[in-house]
Amino acid sequence: MTARQRRMVLVGVVLLAVGGAVGFALKAFQDNLQYFYSPSDVSAGKAPADRLFRVGGMVTEGSFKRPSGSLEAHFVLTDYASNVTVSYTGVLPDLFREGQGVICRGKLGANGVFVAEEVLAKHDENYMPPDVAETLKKQHANNGAPAPVAGASSPTTGPTSGPTT
Amino acid sequence: MIVELGHFALIVALCLTLAQAFFGLGGAATRRPHWIAVTRRAVAGQFVMTACAFASLAYAFYSNDFSVLYVAQNSNSQLPTFYRFAAVWGAHEGSLLLWLLVLSLWTVAVTAFSRNQPEIMISRVLGVLGVISVGFALFILLTSSPFERLWPAAQDGRDLNPLLQDPALAIHPPILYTGYVGFSVAFAFAVAAMLEGKLESVWARWVRPWATMAWLFLTIGIALGSWWAYYELGWGGWWFWDSVENASFMPWLIGTALIHSLAVTEKRGLFKSWTLLLSISAFSLSMLGTFMVRSGIIESVHAFASDPSRGLFILIFMGICVGTALALYAWRAPNFRSNVGFAVVSRESFLLMNNVLLVAATALILLGTLYPVFLDALKLDKISVGAPWFAATFLIPILPMVFLMVPGMHAEWKHASFGRTRNALLAVAGAAVVLSLLLALGVYKWHSVLTLVGFIAAFAVGLSALIEPVTRLRNGHSLSASVVGMSVAHFGLAVFILGVTTVESYHLETDLSLRPGSSAQLGAYQLKMNSLRSIAGPNYDAVESEVAITRDGKEVAVLHPQKRTYRVQTNPMTEAGIDAGWGRDLFVAMGDPLGDGSWSMRLQYKPLVRFIWLGALIIALGGGISVTDRRYRQRAAAEAPAKAAAESI
């Protein structure tokens, strides 16, 4: 082989390797996308049954239940049109409380309870996840539910996550 | 009054940066020496004025002047003095002022350290830096002035965000910004070379120290942020593939590619247009990072500002800078062809692979970070890309790159035969496999093939980095700072890989409920909660628990994790209790009260987690050593006397 042919072979090998890597990455990418659904979507059965997704809403006042001394908590997420019951075992983020906007990542159980692997809340009392705010705005336009407090807040800080199991 | 003076100083600084941009670029284009002389004066002036503006804002914080809106929003009379200074860059407006100040510091550094370089070139560089300064000064004055008054003045401030009241985070933004902004110097040199239409190898020698310094600061800044997230966010992770982490990591990866590509351009006169493209990309990604963080398009720890006009301004400004640079590149790149060849196996080809793989890794992260943003902007879908995707795909290009480093460090230029180092490399490969098996089977338990691969990578790179310094010292040869710097940085990467592999493979984590008197088991450790008590800090109240850790009946540590409530912002904050050690960290964080006197607690065992940040610091140290190399201080004129004489006026 001449030097030129060798170089062409090298370029070909590199292209194949890069192409393979990109193909693999895109495939993995498709499998790892997590879609966001509102409680209304979940109630309407739009959410997938067998894969991870995220659901966001406000924690309904008075819905938070946790047996004394236990780590397993139940609460209801709402977008003021539909509700989803969430169960989560573990340490909740610092700013989790009733009346707050949160995002949960997990899977839908057979009994319709959303089993969260992770609960995200923001470090600001006026914070509402933009996703939630938008859903609420839509609901508001449709049937006059309470208007969102704020799309996002001024000096916000970040999501503290619960466990990443 | 002081604040109005600061505002005025910033306006004067804007005027001076306009002069710097105009006379710098114009002076070089028309070859007027007195214009070039004015440029240097303008640089000094704009630096002094920007520093005055910054000082006036700092004074407003120090003196608790709550008639200034920005101070009222981000400080409080109870805030300790040190954090009052850190609060200057605690939110959007002040952090942009810091950005501008850092940029003018880099500009001053360019004027100070370029005395031996052609006047025309430096004039262009200063002109381009001036254009960037104009953009950011305008941005602050038009959309984000920290000097606005609040009338009537607030009784007291809303306090600095409790998350930011921490020493590591107080210095994280300035250091990170120094890195981000530092790439503007390499960018300016690239634009200057393209305007000139010529690029000699000596150009790469001028740019290398600047690119390395920027990259060094970025390394330390990212490591500090990671360390802070580890202990202050309270959950013990060290990297979350959060959008804003990615925003700082992408310029780092491209910066790493750039400093390697510059080596080829300097030594062999190759990869010229590629180096230019990387210089443009590194700075573009820094700007993109600023845009993503500041515009609020991405939800994150750092997304302070959600004002769309701000995001739009940065986007337009970024479009102008990057668009112009790329257009110039498209026009001038054909001038930079080089006809020197190199063999398939040579240092050039190893560095080329390094570059290709680093750019591929950056492209993957860019895809994962921006794809959800695009889908959302187009109202197609709301999605997020999980951290597992980043973690898995990042390894596809990076693992081969790490293994190619092992021989790559010793490959000769033009045509690599490994004549001198073949035996040493084989010994390194054997030793790496043996040591890794010992570690994966002897010290720890078998975990996975990937763990073993990680250990082999760490030992192979670490030992390979030692070959050069050890053989040279043994043969009595002297070591140049470049060689030491390279070896140290690569050794640091090995330390980092060892830390990452171990902590990701062998960490233990459990959530459980504890009450005073009860205990729990974590691996070989017993943790017992002794007591709970309330305490009062300077500007917060807290519940503190005392957790005693024993191993085989022997006391290891007593930790005091806290759950704080800051009095002004009332957000609860987790202060983890950490027993830090070289071999492992034990990490205890309090969750919330469970009603019957017990608390939810998170307990973690993190083996070798300190190696992650230690490795990053060693990498930065390597960069620091390599910029002290003598050849960067040699007179350029002595290298290419005729050329320099013709160019300087």
Side-chain angles (χ1 to χ4, degrees), chain A residues 152-154, chain B residues 92-93 139 142-144 291 293-297 303-314:
Chain A
S153 52
S154 36
Chain B
H92 173 76
E93 289 86 350
F139 183 43
L142 295 181
T143 73
S144 338
F291 164 68
V293 176
R294 297 292 170 249
S295 65
I297 57 165
F304 317 124
S306 318
D307 181 348
S309 68
R310 289 173 178 174
L312 193 65
F313 189 105
I314 303 187

Side-chain angles (χ1 to χ4, degrees), chain A:
Chain A
M1 272 197 291
T2 65
R4 190 188 177 83
Q5 280 169 325
R6 259 204 310 255
R7 205 171 304 143
M8 293 317 285
V9 170
L10 182 79
V11 169
V13 168
V14 169
L15 280 181
L16 267 180
V18 170
V22 168
F24 181 81
L26 286 176
K27 170 81 176 62
F29 192 59
Q30 277 303 319
D31 297 345
N32 270 280
L33 292 184
Q34 286 157 16
Y35 288 82
F36 175 88
Y37 295 95
S38 66
S40 302
D41 293 336
V42 177
S43 304
K46 286 186 199 162
D50 54 345
R51 59 181 279 177
L52 285 174
F53 65 92
R54 299 192 305 160
V55 57
M58 310 301 277
V59 181
T60 311
E61 298 280 353
S63 73
F64 183 77
K65 292 189 187 67
R66 182 161 58 184
S68 204
S70 156
L71 284 180
E72 189 180 344
H74 289 264
F75 52 90
V76 175
L77 278 188
T78 182
D79 56 3
Y80 301 110
S82 294
N83 296 332
V84 173
T85 306
V86 179
S87 97
Y88 173 73
T89 306
V91 175
L92 286 161
D94 281 340
L95 256 168
F96 181 91
R97 58 178 89 125
E98 289 178 349
Q100 275 270 299
V102 298
I103 294 179
C104 304
R105 183 169 63 85
K107 280 183 182 170
L108 203 54
N111 51 358
V113 173
F114 185 80
V115 183
E117 286 180 3
E118 183 177 36
V119 176
L120 301 162
K122 279 255 181 173
H123 266 271
D124 188 304
E125 56 259 57
N126 296 320
Y127 173 76
M128 180 182 285
D131 299 341
V132 178
E134 203 160 297
T135 316
L136 289 187
K137 225 181 286 168
K138 246 184 275 166
Q139 296 299 335
H140 183 59
N142 291 347
N143 48 24
V149 197
S153 52
S154 36
T156 58
T157 54
T160 35
S161 48
T164 38
T165 22

